């Protein structure tokens, strides 16, 4: 264990609010996308101005920034790519995440100094491919999500030690091979391989018999049919020691489309878990409160994916929805003269007990004795989103800290 190195906690950032949450709650690195060339086509993402600001903010906090350039581009996508690559390099981005070999080699020609990470979209499943990509200039491979721990171990043993290995540890999983899906394009005209997935795997399906058109039959014997393609979410927080032992050096959290609360909570949980792992890698035991933290965000039922072999419980057929038991009540803006200054996010009331989500620590209970507006008027409830509030509090709580409320 003398050469043991703490794995990186890599968090998603769909916009600047999520970026700040990831950094505040313990990410070693974040991955994000610009308005083009990424696998999450969204009105969020980062403009060029925001991206420059994001890199500056993260670097001042000692956090790395990886930018997704991982679509499978068609001919019409290529014209603006060289200019965009030079912009990212000039912005100080730490690495690009690429999936297409042509894009990778264009990066080598245009910005040879840029570190390249090979996206999970590439589908790396063996050491021959991983080693060849390293020889072509890759610094890191993000392995296909369909690999077992034993397969990862063998890849690590048979590739140059300088090649970094990254793997997903938490979040939504695609029912297609490492995200290479054509269902969305076929059913909705939205190309999943260019960042526009409509998630048809989450839809509810029935069967129709050829000679009885218009008559729909459930695939599973339930009144509302079945979500036969619906994958469970991944959660590997209990097994980080086994991932690290197999050779994974970066623990990647899925979720660029998820809320800032999800990013904060899950990043904090994995950061705390990794710090426990670092203290005693040979005797890693996850405290119950950390496992509970992963259940306090909006999520589907959890599984361990393919890490322990072919999954026998990887799909959930009864619903395509989420389990959600907690909401963000407010976000701390500051503290002065015994009053916590907050911005309200969801309704809560005097007399309730909230939880304080503290970076690097287990949550603390926070009784709300009273709520006041900025004029000092007592309120019967915090009802208006983004309203500025004052709550009596004996001690300061850091700006950006989340106060959450369990749903009744």
């Amino acid at each position: 264990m003398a050469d043991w190195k703490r794995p990186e906690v890599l968090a998603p950032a769909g916009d600047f609010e999520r970026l700040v949450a990831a950094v505040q709650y313990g990410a070693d690195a974040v991955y994000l996308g610009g308005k083009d060339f990424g696998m999450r086509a969204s009105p969020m993402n980062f403009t060029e101005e925001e991206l420059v600001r994001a890199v500056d903010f993260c670097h001042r906090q000692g956090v790395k920034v990886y930018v997704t350039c991982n679509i499978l581009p068609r001919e019409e996508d290529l014209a603006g790519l060289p200019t965009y690559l030079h912009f990212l390099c000039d912005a100080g981005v730490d690495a690009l995440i690429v999936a297409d070999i042509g894009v990778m080699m264009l990066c080598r020609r245009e910005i040879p100094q840029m570190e390249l990470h090979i996206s999970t979209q590439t589908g790396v499943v063996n050491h021959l491919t991983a080693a060849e990509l390293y020889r072509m200039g890759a610094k890191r491979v993000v392995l296909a999500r369909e690999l077992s721990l034993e397969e990862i171990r063998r890849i690590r043993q048979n590739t140059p030690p300088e090649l970094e290995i990254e793997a997903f540890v938490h979040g939504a999983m695609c029912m297609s091979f490492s995200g290479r899906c054509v269902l969305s394009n076929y059913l909705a005209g939205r190309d999943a391989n260019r960042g526009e997935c409509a998630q048809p795997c989450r839809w509810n399906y029935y069967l129709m018999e050829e000679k009885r058109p218009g008559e729909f039959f459930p695939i599973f014997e339930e009144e509302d049919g079945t979500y036969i393609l619906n994958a469970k979410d991944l959660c590997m927080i209990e097994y980080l020691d086994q991932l690290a032992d197999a050779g994974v050096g970066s623990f990647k959290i899925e979720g660029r489309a998820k809320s800032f609360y999800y990013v904060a909570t899950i990043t904090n949980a994995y950061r705390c878990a990794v710090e426990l792992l670092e203290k005693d890698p040979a005797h890693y035991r996850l405290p119950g409160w950390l496992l509970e933290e992963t259940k306090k965000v909006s999520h589907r039922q959890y599984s361990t994916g393919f890490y322990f072999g072919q999954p026998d419980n990887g799909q959930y057929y009864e619903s395509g929805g989420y389990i959600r038991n907690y909401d963000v009540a407010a976000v701390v803006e500051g503290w002065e003269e015994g009053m916590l200054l907050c911005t309200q996010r969801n309704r809560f009331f005097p007399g309730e007990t909230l939880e304080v989500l503290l970076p690097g620590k287990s949550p603390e209970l926070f009784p709300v004795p009273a709520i006041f507006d900025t004029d000092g008027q007592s309120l019967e409830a915090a009802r208006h989103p983004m309203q500025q509030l004052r709550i009596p509090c004996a001690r300061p709580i850091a700006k950006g800290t989340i106060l959450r409320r369990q749903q009744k």
Side-chain angles (χ1 to χ4, degrees):
M1 291 292 181
D3 58 350
W4 194 89
K5 182 180 178 181
R6 187 181 80 182
E8 173 185 79
V9 176
L10 176 55
D15 61 14
F16 211 90
E17 183 180 40
R18 291 158 174 80
L19 176 90
V20 172
V23 172
Q24 179 173 359
Y25 282 92
D28 297 304
V30 297
Y31 66 103
L32 54 88
K35 293 295 185 179
D36 300 299
F37 305 110
M39 285 298 291
R40 288 291 183 273
S42 164
M44 297 185 299
N45 289 328
F46 288 74
T47 65
E48 291 191 354
E49 180 181 349
E50 290 170 334
L51 203 150
V52 170
R53 180 177 163 223
V55 172
D56 177 66
F57 173 79
C58 288
H59 285 180
R60 284 189 281 109
Q61 307 299 320
V63 173
K64 293 183 177 181
V65 178
Y66 310 146
V67 172
T68 59
C69 196
N70 59 341
I71 65 167
L72 303 181
R74 303 290 181 90
E75 286 298 315
E76 62 266 29
D77 298 318
L78 298 177
L81 187 54
T83 300
Y84 184 61
L85 295 179
H86 283 284
F87 159 72
L88 294 176
C89 187
D90 293 342
V93 168
D94 294 284
L96 297 189
I97 304 170
V98 300
D100 183 83
I101 297 298
V103 173
M104 178 186 179
M105 301 317 293
L106 179 66
C107 291
R108 300 311 303 152
R109 292 191 297 272
E110 296 285 339
I111 47 173
Q113 68 273 41
M114 178 63 70
E115 186 172 299
L116 297 179
H117 297 178
I118 304 304
S119 171
T120 189
Q121 299 290 126
T122 307
V124 177
V125 294
N126 61 65
H127 78 270
L128 292 175
T129 302
E132 198 61 41
L133 287 165
Y134 174 73
R135 282 190 282 272
M136 294 169 66
K139 174 67 173 177
R140 177 184 296 188
V141 290
V142 188
L143 295 178
R145 304 188 201 199
E146 293 75 23
L147 293 176
S148 68
L149 285 170
E150 184 54 37
E151 288 173 309
I152 293 172
R153 188 185 311 279
R154 289 165 63 185
I155 290 172
R156 175 72 287 173
Q157 291 170 349
N158 290 284
T159 50
E162 295 80 12
L163 175 66
E164 299 173 359
I165 289 181
E166 176 181 311
F168 280 91
V169 295
H170 197 95
M173 293 191 292
C174 180
M175 54 77 61
S176 294
F177 186 87
S178 285
R180 293 236 179 175
C181 182
V182 296
L183 272 181
S184 178
N185 210 345
Y186 178 72
L187 294 175
R190 291 168 53 180
D191 191 345
N193 298 308
R194 296 160 86 188
E196 298 177 346
C197 185
Q199 294 197 327
C201 56
R202 310 297 182 188
W203 299 351
N204 190 3
Y205 289 91
Y206 284 80
L207 285 175
M208 186 178 72
E209 198 272 324
E210 179 183 12
K211 295 182 180 179
R212 288 186 278 183
E215 294 186 43
F216 300 99
F217 302 92
I219 300 171
F220 190 74
E221 293 183 4
E222 294 289 343
E223 290 182 0
D224 56 355
T226 181
Y227 296 80
I228 196 168
L229 303 177
N230 184 50
K232 293 182 180 179
D233 284 357
L234 178 68
C235 181
M236 285 294 289
I237 197 167
E238 295 178 271
Y239 310 101
L240 299 187
D241 55 337
Q242 297 184 51
L243 284 162
D245 186 64
V248 178
S250 178
F251 294 160
K252 188 170 194 172
I253 299 166
E254 183 275 338
R256 280 197 291 137
K258 302 287 181 66
S259 70
F260 83 101
Y261 169 64
Y262 168 95
V263 172
T265 303
I266 298 302
T267 300
N268 191 54
Y270 277 85
R271 178 56 182 256
C272 291
V274 165
E275 289 184 351
L276 285 174
L277 175 64
E278 184 180 26
K279 289 178 182 177
D280 191 356
H283 302 93
Y284 175 70
R285 294 292 182 273
L286 188 74
W289 73 267
L290 272 177
L291 183 59
E292 285 304 308
E293 283 297 291
T294 66
K295 300 175 183 177
K296 291 181 178 180
V297 298
S298 181
H299 66 283
R300 300 180 181 92
Q301 288 193 357
Y302 284 132
S303 80
T304 54
F306 291 82
Y307 282 116
F308 298 103
Q310 196 73 18
D312 57 5
N313 65 342
Q315 305 295 111
Y316 185 64
Y317 306 125
E318 296 177 18
S319 168
Y322 288 91
I323 301 166
R324 179 176 174 180
N325 298 318
Y326 282 80
D327 288 316
V328 178
V331 177
V332 175
E333 301 295 344
W335 181 91
E336 60 182 29
E337 299 178 351
M339 286 286 182
L340 203 60
L341 313 179
C342 302
T343 300
Q344 189 260 12
R345 294 300 181 95
N346 285 285
R347 188 175 63 168
F348 64 101
F349 302 88
E352 286 195 289
T353 297
L354 306 179
E355 283 188 358
V356 184
L357 181 59
L358 296 167
K361 299 178 182 179
S362 59
E364 294 181 1
L365 297 180
F366 178 71
V368 180
I371 303 174
F372 301 94
D373 64 17
T374 53
D375 295 324
Q377 298 296 313
S378 178
L379 301 176
E380 294 181 358
R383 292 192 173 93
H384 306 294
M386 305 308 291
Q387 181 180 11
Q388 302 300 300
L389 304 172
R390 298 166 65 89
I391 303 173
C393 182
R395 62 180 178 83
I397 297 177
K399 177 180 172 62
T401 301
I402 291 171
L403 307 180
R404 67 185 173 199
R405 174 180 183 266
Q406 187 172 12
Q407 294 181 355
K408 303 298 183 182

